[in-house]
Amino acid sequence: MDLYGRRQERAALDRILDAARQGQGAAWVLWGDPGIGKTTLFGYVADAAAEDFTVLRCRGTRLESGLAFAALHELLWPVMERISTLPEPQAKALNGALGNSGDTADRFLIGVAVLTLVGELAEKRPVLIMADDAQWLDEPSMQCLAFVARRLRNEPVVVLLTGHEDPVGGPWEGLPGMRILGLDDEDARLLVRAAAPDADEAAIRQIVCAAAGNPLALQELPSSVVAGDISTHPIVGEQIAVGPRLRRAFDIQIEGLSTAARTALLLTAAEDRGDRNTVRQAGGVLGLGTAAWDEALRSGLLTMRPGERIGFRHPLIRAVVYEQAPLAERQAVHRALAAVLTGEKADELRPWHLAAAVEAAGGPDEEVARLLEDSAHRSWARGGCATAARALRRAAKLSPSTEDAARHLAHGARAAWEAGQVDVARAMLERAERMSSEITVAALSDGLRGLLEFAHGDLESAYRYLTRDMDLMVDPGQAFKLGSMAVRAAWAAGQSGLQREALAHLQKLPQPEFPNVELLPLLRQWWAGDCESCPDTHDRADVPSGQIVDWLSTSSWRLMPPAPLGVAWGIECVLDEALHRKIDNLRHTDQVTALTLALAQTVTLDIAQGLWTSATANALEGLQLAEEIVADHLASQCRNCLGWLAAARGDQHAVARYAAETFAQSVPQGGRALSAAAEWNLGMSALFTGRAEEALDRLVRLAERGHHSAHPTFAVLAALDTAEAAVQAGQPAKAEEQARLLRRWAERTNAAWAVSAMHVVQALLASGAEAEKQFRLALEVPGAASRPFAHARTRLLYGEWLRRARRRVDARIQLAEAAETFRRLGAAPLLARVQAEQELTGQQLRTTETADRDTVTILTPQELRVARLAAEGLTNREIGAQLLISPRTVGHHLSNVFPKLGIVSRADLARVDFEDGLRLTG
């Protein structure tokens, strides 16, 4: 087994070996759960000592634990010939112990003999004695090694042992111990990837959660796991499948218990929540007394936790206990638990226990299936989509009626999709379609097939499914949501004709009962304004932004236009507020798909508003989630946002990498909006690094009919870039085309950014007083400054014009304002361009002007996300729940954050300005 992580453990072991090389001995016990990596660390030590140590090794086994001196024989076998050099009494005693003679085995003399032998070996080179699985050493060998270990401190000898228990109170009492804990989430993921290279992100995430850092489990689980079958919090009867090596390791500890104590363990495993009163009451039903519980607790397999909770020392023990139990015993404990459940959780938990009992008996049960269905809908209403999906899948298994089973599967597929379990959702949907008709399942699943295609497949196929299924919906509100998604699918595919068809179809639907339903025409206006050949609309609805936010937040946030279209309409602030409200709610549920979609949308809005630090953090989180749930389109959207930021910051390699990944994914699936965004990033990167002709060649593709990157929204958003590239490349006619495009869009939407960009392009094409007039008009557009990057860019272009007009003082004012914004955002290429212009005006720039920024230690993206959440007052557990990492990993990141930021406590994080170079305020 290769080592992953274990940096602290390796450093400690290296120090022990180095001390021995200097003549100082030590004895250590490495202890921890089976499979935790003790033997692997032993391998690391053996390799590290191979060149300059004499290495003696043995391993305890259950088979030989009753054979006196069996382990000592294995340990000394390589140096057996040296025994004859010992003093005669010691040699006789040791030969007698090892079976080499008939001499009496005096245990004291044996210990002295081994001590002498090791000391003589250490005169030539240091000695490393290693005893793995020391809990299974035969008792005489154990006593001998304990004797030696306590007497080698001044010799260049290291004694290392491994065991399952803390050495305090055992045969190794007095020896220092090093507890080996589980791997953190990042190292665990690396190990799973190495063990199962073909595992998808969803399976990796589930395996990491189930294994709880145990390296052996991380290696064994992938061989028996189908994505979606493991849960971080397994529900009754859905246990993880433990591999054979790990099962044997834990089973040895279980076998030595009485039948009653094993039943107590099985009750605890089946109950799973740790409710001590419930398991005790169920134990009473089964006739368990206090003695059984005392024995189970003394075994160390069970632990008492705060608040009258009871649980297993490690979740894998629970899995072994349940997996090894006979079916009849499982059935008995589940029925006992169902019989004693009371309170508000009873209606939710009793169906699971009854289902487990029925499955153990091997038959269907309509009543239990109905109870599971009711429980699923209660969980779903609270945001527990994954739990609902599991309940409905189980209900389908127990339903005697094929029609009922199909209904459960269709509903469960929708719940699984919302929980981000895409493969599970597809499998359940396909099973439902085999049991019933595709049309029936479409109605039962609220049009899930189209939603799956929209998020993960071909966009034109998604459009066809969505427009078909919207007519099948009984609920007008759901029909309208599917219709809106059909419009969005057509928009994402860059198919204006399909977009017009979807809008026309949408308008024919019955009026849904949404809050603020009177605002639905506004939604149609947003979409219609993006269709090519739509008539210009000058009667833009004047609706208070607060009312729009309330509507989008309370009706269906999926009705809002996609972020790029919202940015084009200049409503990013409205959408951003509605999205952040939704994200706050989603983080308290397991609706992973919705959370990923919301995060991907909000990144574009953050970029437009100059919140690039937040945009980077949200894009990386969204990308991680999208990859985990295999949401290809959302992953590409996050990559495109990171590519835009990389272009603005001058990281050309990152721009090219993100664009290549997007093209590979989106072009075959007809995702023109995604391809267009990637093409825009490449063109912008070329423009900002002085390659105008290359930039123009890429940017004109956004309006080139038939090209895989052609898309009307992105053609508008990139119009200023295209125009500037055209002017720099000496092709003013193409810049004039962009001016006309921006003028039409500005007249249609009255968006501040479009009006300002229109004036900038006209300024680039004009000369003399007219050019200056247009620059000033661009800067003075109400609301234009709310997009700091674009506003600073206007100042840069104006400053360049002023410098060429020999108005150096005026130029310096504009350039200084632009420089400050670019510096704050980290827009390196344009900052360098500003500074070059400032020098041309004769301004002497201080070489230390940006030193204070350069000295700011940059946090990794994950450290940044953790720090921001900790600054908001969230606990490690709450942060871990949001970022899908363990609390232990959160603590690790914070321990790196504090020294990097020069702070000492979580309270100091509240003083960090995360949007302005991570400076401390106040």
Side-chain angles (χ1 to χ4, degrees):
M1 187 191 300
D2 292 332
L3 267 177
Y4 290 85
R6 302 302 189 198
R7 287 166 285 277
Q8 294 181 351
E9 292 88 344
R10 284 183 288 171
L13 293 168
D14 287 341
R15 287 194 296 270
I16 293 170
L17 294 180
D18 289 341
R21 294 183 178 104
Q22 302 301 318
Q24 183 177 352
W28 281 73
V29 180
L30 312 185
W31 66 281
D33 286 322
I36 205 66
K38 304 182 296 292
T39 300
T40 306
L41 285 169
F42 255 36
Y44 169 80
V45 174
D47 290 343
E51 293 186 3
D52 55 345
F53 277 71
T54 297
V55 181
L56 304 176
R57 302 186 66 168
C58 66
R59 181 170 189 165
T61 66
R62 194 181 185 195
L63 182 65
E64 295 186 354
S65 61
L67 300 177
F69 296 109
L72 191 63
H73 187 278
E74 180 185 1
L75 183 76
L76 298 181
W77 180 257
V79 293
M80 198 73 77
E81 74 281 355
R82 299 293 301 268
I83 296 177
S84 61
T85 66
L86 296 174
E88 185 176 353
Q90 296 178 21
K92 286 185 176 181
L94 189 52
N95 277 319
L98 299 178
N100 297 331
S101 70
D103 293 307
T104 302
D106 184 299
R107 291 196 178 184
F108 178 77
L109 281 177
I110 293 168
V112 173
V114 174
L115 189 63
T116 303
L117 178 60
V118 171
E120 290 178 355
L121 291 172
E123 290 178 358
K124 294 184 178 180
R125 57 193 312 196
V127 177
L128 173 63
I129 297 174
M130 308 177 73
D132 202 3
D133 282 336
Q135 75 275 2
W136 293 116
L137 295 177
D138 61 276
E139 186 178 352
S141 295
M142 191 181 300
Q143 291 177 349
C144 180
L145 281 177
F147 178 88
V148 171
R150 293 185 176 93
R151 289 166 174 78
L152 290 173
R153 191 172 298 273
N154 296 320
E155 300 282 349
V157 179
V158 174
V159 179
L160 293 179
L161 309 106
T162 71
H164 293 164
E165 306 294 336
D166 188 333
V168 174
W172 315 110
E173 186 169 9
L175 300 183
M178 179 192 300
R179 185 177 185 184
I180 309 303
L181 300 173
L183 299 176
D184 64 30
D185 289 353
E186 293 179 12
D187 291 323
R189 290 175 65 84
L190 292 174
L191 179 52
V192 175
R193 284 190 178 279
D198 297 329
D200 60 33
E201 285 298 324
I204 290 173
R205 176 183 166 194
Q206 293 166 330
I207 291 166
V208 168
C209 291
N214 188 290
L216 184 53
L218 290 164
Q219 288 192 107
E220 289 198 328
L221 287 175
S223 63
S224 57
V225 169
V226 177
D229 284 350
I230 286 184
S231 168
T232 308
H233 304 290
I235 297 296
V236 173
E238 295 195 2
Q239 308 294 322
I240 60 177
V242 179
R245 287 183 295 167
L246 200 55
R247 185 167 57 247
R248 283 196 300 271
F250 281 120
D251 201 33
I252 288 171
Q253 297 177 277
I254 297 167
E255 284 180 1
L257 300 178
S258 68
T259 300
R262 289 200 299 270
T263 301
L265 292 179
L266 180 57
L267 260 175
T268 307
E271 194 276 340
D272 186 47
R273 295 184 304 132
D275 188 329
R276 183 183 180 187
N277 291 330
T278 298
V279 295
R280 290 276 186 167
Q281 291 173 23
V285 173
L286 296 173
L288 296 185
T290 303
W293 291 105
D294 289 345
E295 182 183 353
L297 286 168
R298 283 197 306 272
S299 72
L301 299 172
L302 288 183
T303 60
M304 293 303 301
R305 299 169 183 170
E308 292 295 304
R309 313 300 289 177
I310 188 170
F312 288 93
R313 187 180 72 232
H314 193 283
L316 295 172
I317 302 176
R318 172 186 178 272
V320 172
V321 167
Y322 194 88
E323 185 179 298
Q324 295 293 82
L327 291 178
E329 293 182 15
R330 293 191 206 174
Q331 183 180 18
V333 297
H334 283 300
R335 289 202 180 279
L337 287 165
V340 301
L341 281 169
T342 59
E344 60 181 19
K345 289 289 185 180
D347 289 340
E348 179 179 347
L349 296 173
R350 187 178 290 113
W352 289 98
H353 289 296
L354 292 174
V358 168
E359 287 177 352
D365 192 306
E366 184 176 357
E367 176 61 21
V368 174
R370 185 189 62 76
L371 292 174
L372 281 169
E373 182 180 24
D374 292 342
S375 173
H377 288 301
R378 285 193 295 269
S379 296
W380 202 342
R382 295 196 305 271
C385 301
T387 300
R390 286 193 295 271
L392 289 164
R393 182 171 56 192
R394 193 162 232 176
K397 185 177 180 181
L398 295 177
S399 294
S401 163
T402 302
E403 182 181 343
D404 289 340
R407 185 183 76 253
H408 296 324
L409 288 169
H411 291 167
R414 180 59 184 259
W417 177 72
E418 291 193 10
Q421 299 173 349
V422 180
D423 291 340
V424 176
R426 285 188 187 278
M428 293 178 74
L429 197 65
E430 289 167 1
R431 283 180 58 197
E433 289 172 347
R434 288 195 296 270
M435 293 180 175
S436 184
S437 70
E438 185 175 331
I439 296 299
T440 300
V441 172
L444 290 170
S445 66
D446 287 338
L448 179 58
R449 179 65 68 185
L451 297 175
L452 282 168
E453 284 297 314
F454 176 79
H456 311 281
D458 180 79
L459 288 167
E460 289 196 37
S461 296
Y463 170 82
R464 288 193 294 273
Y465 281 121
L466 290 165
T467 51
R468 178 201 71 179
D469 294 348
M470 59 194 289
D471 292 328
L472 303 175
M473 298 298 108
V474 176
D475 176 14
Q478 183 61 27
F480 195 87
K481 291 173 188 176
L482 290 183
S484 296
M485 295 300 287
V487 179
R488 187 185 286 255
W491 175 87
Q495 300 288 348
S496 297
L498 295 182
Q499 192 172 326
R500 286 192 295 274
E501 286 181 14
L503 275 172
H505 198 165
L506 195 63
Q507 290 178 338
K508 295 176 183 177
L509 292 174
Q511 195 82 336
E513 295 182 1
F514 286 139
N516 303 109
V517 72
E518 70 276 5
L519 298 183
L520 287 179
L522 182 62
L523 175 67
R524 298 189 182 100
Q525 179 179 283
W526 288 335
W527 284 110
D530 188 55
C531 291
E532 292 175 343
S533 74
C534 280
D536 288 351
T537 54
H538 301 281
D539 55 343
R540 184 182 181 201
D542 186 13
V543 181
S545 61
Q547 190 176 359
I548 298 175
V549 170
D550 290 338
W551 171 53
L552 293 173
S553 301
T554 56
S555 55
S556 175
W557 62 280
R558 287 191 175 94
L559 296 181
M560 67 178 62
L565 183 55
V567 168
W569 270 88
I571 56 172
E572 61 271 10
C573 293
V574 174
L575 299 186
D576 191 56
E577 185 176 348
L579 276 171
H580 277 97
R581 284 190 191 179
K582 194 64 184 179
I583 288 172
D584 289 343
N585 293 330
L586 290 171
R587 288 197 185 279
H588 295 91
T589 73
D590 65 358
Q591 298 178 61
V592 181
T593 298
L595 176 60
T596 308
L597 175 59
L599 284 170
Q601 293 292 301
T602 198
V603 177
T604 299
L605 309 176
D606 285 343
I607 288 175
Q609 297 172 91
L611 305 173
W612 289 9
T613 304
S614 294
T616 303
N618 288 335
L620 289 169
E621 182 184 359
L623 178 59
Q624 177 188 348
L625 289 174
E627 289 177 340
E628 287 176 353
I629 65 175
V630 201
D632 298 329
H633 298 326
L634 294 179
S636 293
Q637 189 173 339
C638 292
R639 290 191 193 100
N640 282 338
C641 291
L642 290 169
W644 193 99
L645 290 165
R649 289 166 170 162
D651 189 347
Q652 300 177 59
H653 294 295
V655 177
R657 183 178 74 253
Y658 287 130
E661 292 174 347
T662 296
F663 289 143
Q665 185 64 55
S666 62
V667 172
Q669 295 179 333
R672 288 190 178 184
L674 298 169
S675 299
E679 198 79 68
W680 180 20
N681 294 342
L682 290 167
M684 190 169 64
S685 178
L687 175 63
F688 290 169
T689 51
R691 306 190 314 276
E693 291 185 358
E694 177 187 338
L696 182 61
D697 181 59
R698 289 194 173 278
L699 293 170
V700 295
R701 297 173 186 175
L702 302 179
E704 182 182 326
R705 288 189 178 276
H707 195 276
H708 63 73
S709 295
H711 196 282
T713 301
F714 288 91
V716 169
L717 290 171
L720 176 56
D721 298 319
T722 309
E724 184 181 350
V727 169
Q728 290 185 17
Q731 299 187 45
K734 291 185 176 179
E736 290 171 356
E737 291 176 7
Q738 303 307 308
R740 289 192 291 272
L741 174 61
L742 283 168
R743 184 181 302 110
R744 288 196 302 272
W745 188 257
E747 291 173 349
R748 178 176 299 170
T749 66
N750 199 32
W753 79 271
V755 176
S756 180
M758 175 190 68
H759 288 304
V760 172
V761 175
Q762 289 174 344
L764 292 174
L765 292 168
S767 60
E770 180 60 24
E772 181 167 20
K773 173 187 174 183
Q774 294 297 329
F775 275 127
R776 288 191 172 279
L777 287 172
L779 290 171
E780 293 167 1
V781 171
S786 64
R787 296 191 181 183
F789 179 73
H791 204 246
R793 188 173 170 192
T794 301
R795 290 191 183 278
L796 166 60
L797 294 169
Y798 185 25
E800 289 175 332
W801 182 87
L802 288 168
R803 195 268 306 166
R804 290 193 298 271
R806 300 185 183 278
R807 293 167 55 183
R808 295 182 176 181
V809 174
D810 292 336
R812 289 174 185 173
I813 295 172
Q814 299 300 327
L815 294 171
E817 292 285 348
E820 176 57 29
T821 299
F822 293 144
R823 187 179 295 112
R824 177 175 62 82
L825 295 175
L830 293 189
L831 177 60
R833 183 168 153 186
V834 169
Q835 290 172 335
E837 284 292 322
Q838 288 175 311
E839 290 177 354
L840 289 174
T841 66
Q843 184 177 357
Q844 297 296 316
L845 299 180
R846 292 181 301 155
T847 57
T848 60
E849 185 173 2
T850 60
D852 59 331
R853 300 282 176 167
D854 296 337
T855 57
V856 174
T857 303
I858 303 300
L859 303 181
T860 68
Q862 188 74 313
E863 288 170 353
L864 178 60
R865 289 194 287 270
V866 169
R868 291 174 68 92
L869 292 172
E872 295 173 8
L874 275 69
T875 65
N876 286 10
R877 182 178 297 278
E878 291 169 335
I879 296 170
Q882 286 204 18
L883 300 183
L884 305 178
I885 57 179
S886 69
R888 183 175 63 252
T889 302
V890 173
H892 169 73
H893 285 311
L894 286 176
S895 69
N896 292 331
V897 166
F898 289 168
K900 286 184 177 183
L901 297 184
I903 60 178
V904 296
S905 70
R906 298 173 81 100
D908 292 335
L909 285 171
R911 299 168 46 224
V912 175
D913 187 342
F914 288 96
E915 298 300 337
D916 192 10
L918 301 177
R919 288 182 170 183
L920 287 175
T921 61

